[in-house]
Amino acid sequence: MSELSGQVALVTGGGRGIGRSIAIAFARAGADLAVCSRTQSELDEVAEKVQAEGANCLTGIVDVTDRAAVERFRDDLIQRYERVDILVNNAGGGLERGVVAESDPDRWRRTVEVNLFGTYLFSRALLEHIPDGGKIINVSSGMGLKAANQSSAYNVAKAGVHMFTECLANELWPRGIDVNNLIPGPVATSTFNRDAPGQRTPTEEIITKFADEPPPQFPKFERVKHPDEVGELALYMATRPRGGPTGQTFSLARRPL
Amino acid sequence: MTDQQLAGKIAVVTGGGRGIGRSIALYLAGAGADIALCSRTSNEIDAVAAEIRALGRRALALPVDVADWAQVESFARAVTDEFDHIDILVNNAGGGFEVGPVAVSDPAGWRKTVEINLFGTYHMIRAFLDDIARGGKIINITSGMGLEARPGNSSYNAAKAGAHMLTQCLALEIWDRGIDVNDIIPGLVATTNVDWASDRSSVESVLAEFEGKQPPFAPSERVKHPDELGDLVLWVASMPEGGPTGQSFSLARRPF
């Protein structure tokens, strides 16, 4: 299968979890990749997998909230590939878990910065380098559509991402660039598992842990998915023909949102 | 995915005689499914049934007014007599029968719109639910107009909003049977519903009518070929058990 051959894709937060699965799915479909995250060892592992599919892989250490770092990675990418056809804003996470009344304002702000501002910064930096027919896929969340308990920073940040997608779709359709949200639903990642910083519970272990029932913040009919299922959906979205859906949301959730 | 990812499956498509429903029926049959079709008149579904048989699949075509519970019940009996059970139910029959402001609307046309789009969907679900196998799919063709109000379309807006909510309610009720329920939002498609006035216009003539012209609803929209919906429904119908449920999959090009 080489539906993406000749295309260049950038995946933020591509070192592990959902971003890693998306990068590998795209490479398997023939795309060349640019992948950034904050952990070099994880990027090296993904680059090896991508290259094993016969694709090129540019990696970079980037904090998506750092404008200078985002622009530096953009410059490297343009120097290497000249353009980017598919931008996947996947980097995100929840850093402040708790009620607003007891929340840490720095972690609350940081959550919004990573999820929302990071998505904006990458879109802003790359927009002029995305050709006609390009795609932007923003990994949002069911939590951007429905409030949960003790997750206000993540809820608010993802709600912002959801709306940003719609705003950008309205701005970019004349250029033939389609912009859509991807809602993964619960996926076995370290973010979902609320791993401590630096801790990396293996995917299979998380899936086994929640095989019978998802954690209490989700209804029992949700299913904790493998990140590769999200890679498949992202590939479907990335391979829509020009003039396909834009400003829409593609979801693997199992609860109405 | 192979070309025959629906081999051995049985699908029911309402409003399957033309437009989106016809494309859906042919795409599902092309992927290996046997098809039961209905619409209010026989001639169009008979022609589609012949096309399905030409693909080597079984087809059953019966005239049914989905707004009529007794007709839907007997259709369900005829389908299960023929096929034993079903795997995929596509509620596609719909349309707008009352266009204009509420203040001057004809209550009969307003009611008919709700009866076909919402009650028709409910009737089919109610009649077939016991006969849908584990791993089955219910796919409701709703509309962007079920999510956003537009002037002069209140009956269609209200009916499609109801169908959208019914999708979500049903998803919550039957997840433990392994049946997933989702919406499809077509956006603009070259059917006789896009071009309210010209009944029975061909797909090509509707596409030609909008070629190079600003589409209705929003400048970002595009009038699509019904086959693009066939392709999307096939994708949703082919999801593994435990895939998305209670969700909406849209080909629209305007945010809701």
Side-chain angles (χ1 to χ4, degrees):
Chain A
M1 195 166 55
S2 51
E3 303 158 276
L4 295 182
S5 67
Q7 302 215 38
V8 177
L10 164 58
V11 182
T12 70
R16 64 175 186 267
I18 292 173
R20 174 183 180 277
S21 287
I22 292 173
I24 294 169
F26 284 8
R28 200 164 285 156
D32 288 323
L33 265 297
V35 179
C36 63
S37 80
R38 286 172 303 152
T39 315
Q40 188 65 52
S41 56
E42 291 177 335
L43 289 172
D44 291 343
E45 195 266 344
V46 170
E48 199 176 300
K49 285 265 191 315
V50 165
Q51 284 154 0
E53 300 292 343
N56 291 304
C57 193
L58 171 75
T59 61
I61 297 284
V62 179
D63 174 346
V64 298
T65 67
D66 177 347
R67 180 176 172 184
V70 169
E71 290 176 352
R72 262 197 313 276
F73 189 60
R74 183 259 327 264
D75 293 343
D76 290 350
L77 185 153
I78 296 310
Q79 195 177 3
R80 172 82 172 264
Y81 296 123
E82 294 181 350
R83 62 174 207 288
V84 62
D85 301 284
I86 304 158
L87 166 61
V88 182
N89 285 304
N90 165 74
L95 299 117
E96 172 54 41
R97 316 273 191 187
V99 294
V100 173
E102 294 162 14
S103 60
D104 177 316
D106 288 335
R107 283 203 303 265
W108 206 97
R109 166 190 284 268
R110 176 87 186 143
T111 301
V112 176
E113 285 185 341
V114 171
N115 291 281
L116 175 57
F117 198 56
T119 297
Y120 161 78
L121 268 186
F122 259 99
S123 304
R124 175 70 183 86
L126 285 155
L127 225 40
E128 61 180 302
H129 304 286
I130 302 177
D132 189 321
K135 307 266 189 276
I136 299 176
I137 299 171
N138 294 329
V139 178
S140 56
S141 170
M143 287 173 69
L145 299 176
K146 230 173 195 176
N149 257 335
Q150 310 198 355
S151 289
S152 64
Y154 193 73
N155 278 132
V156 167
K158 288 298 194 183
V161 171
H162 183 84
M163 182 54 80
F164 181 66
T165 297
E166 299 192 348
C167 297
L168 209 51
N170 279 337
E171 293 183 17
L172 295 184
W173 69 265
R175 285 181 52 192
I177 300 171
D178 294 338
V179 191
N180 292 291
N181 280 315
L182 189 164
I183 294 183
V187 176
T189 63
S190 24
T191 296
F192 166 78
N193 200 46
R194 305 196 167 188
D195 282 352
Q199 188 197 344
R200 299 282 184 267
T201 310
T203 302
E204 309 304 334
E205 194 178 309
I206 301 171
I207 288 177
T208 306
K209 178 173 157 193
F210 296 109
D212 293 331
E213 211 161 282
Q217 70 268 31
F218 291 101
K220 59 188 172 186
F221 38 88
E222 270 295 3
R223 180 172 65 83
V224 178
K225 286 174 291 287
H226 194 286
D228 288 352
E229 298 181 54
V230 185
E232 285 297 309
L233 178 61
L235 179 59
Y236 179 81
M237 293 170 69
T239 52
R240 293 308 85 210
R242 211 197 134 179
T246 189
Q248 308 303 306
T249 299
F250 288 79
S251 165
L252 293 179
R254 289 178 53 78
R255 62 197 198 279
L257 297 166
Chain B
M1 254 191 229
T2 69
D3 286 337
Q4 293 293 302
Q5 67 263 45
L6 298 182
K9 304 280 188 198
I10 295 136
V12 176
V13 181
T14 70
R18 62 173 187 270
I20 293 173
R22 172 179 174 274
S23 287
I24 292 169
L26 293 173
Y27 269 71
L28 298 180
D34 293 327
I35 310 287
L37 291 166
C38 67
S39 74
R40 275 168 300 163
T41 52
S42 278
N43 52 339
E44 288 176 322
I45 47 173
D46 287 346
V48 177
E51 291 184 86
I52 291 166
R53 292 185 193 107
L55 293 168
R57 307 312 329 160
R58 289 198 292 163
L60 175 69
L62 291 170
V64 177
D65 178 353
V66 294
D68 182 331
W69 169 238
Q71 288 187 39
V72 171
E73 266 192 306
S74 60
F75 176 60
R77 273 195 301 274
V79 170
T80 49
D81 281 352
E82 175 80 14
F83 295 109
D84 177 65
H85 69 277
I86 71 166
D87 301 286
I88 299 158
L89 169 60
V90 183
N91 285 304
N92 164 71
F97 301 92
E98 175 55 40
V99 181
V102 173
V104 294
S105 61
D106 171 11
W110 208 98
R111 169 186 285 270
K112 185 178 176 190
T113 303
V114 176
E115 284 187 341
I116 291 191
N117 291 282
L118 176 57
F119 283 100
T121 299
Y122 164 77
H123 285 159
M124 291 294 295
I125 290 165
R126 178 70 183 85
F128 277 97
L129 206 46
D130 284 345
D131 301 307
I132 302 178
R134 185 161 193 96
K137 307 276 186 254
I138 298 174
I139 299 171
N140 295 328
I141 311 299
T142 58
S143 171
M145 286 174 64
L147 302 177
E148 78 181 356
R150 299 199 76 85
N153 281 297
S154 64
S155 61
Y156 194 73
N157 277 134
K160 288 298 193 184
H164 176 73
M165 184 53 81
L166 178 60
T167 299
Q168 302 197 348
C169 296
L170 194 63
L172 292 176
E173 290 184 17
I174 62 174
W175 64 270
D176 57 344
R177 286 182 54 193
I179 300 171
D180 293 337
V181 192
N182 293 291
D183 275 333
I184 298 281
I185 297 179
L188 290 178
V189 180
T191 66
T192 53
N193 278 343
V194 159
D195 180 3
W196 304 90
S198 50
D199 199 25
R200 304 295 192 274
S201 307
S202 73
V203 169
E204 283 66 29
S205 71
V206 179
L207 285 173
E209 190 182 331
F210 287 101
E211 178 81 48
K213 257 198 257 167
Q214 170 128 337
F217 293 172
S220 57
E221 277 292 358
R222 178 173 66 83
V223 178
K224 286 175 287 286
H225 193 287
D227 285 352
E228 298 181 54
L229 270 298
D231 190 58
L232 178 62
V233 170
L234 174 58
W235 182 69
V236 174
S238 306
M239 294 270 186
E241 188 184 328
T245 189
Q247 310 302 306
S248 298
F249 294 93
S250 167
L251 292 182
R253 291 181 51 78
R254 62 195 200 279
F256 298 113

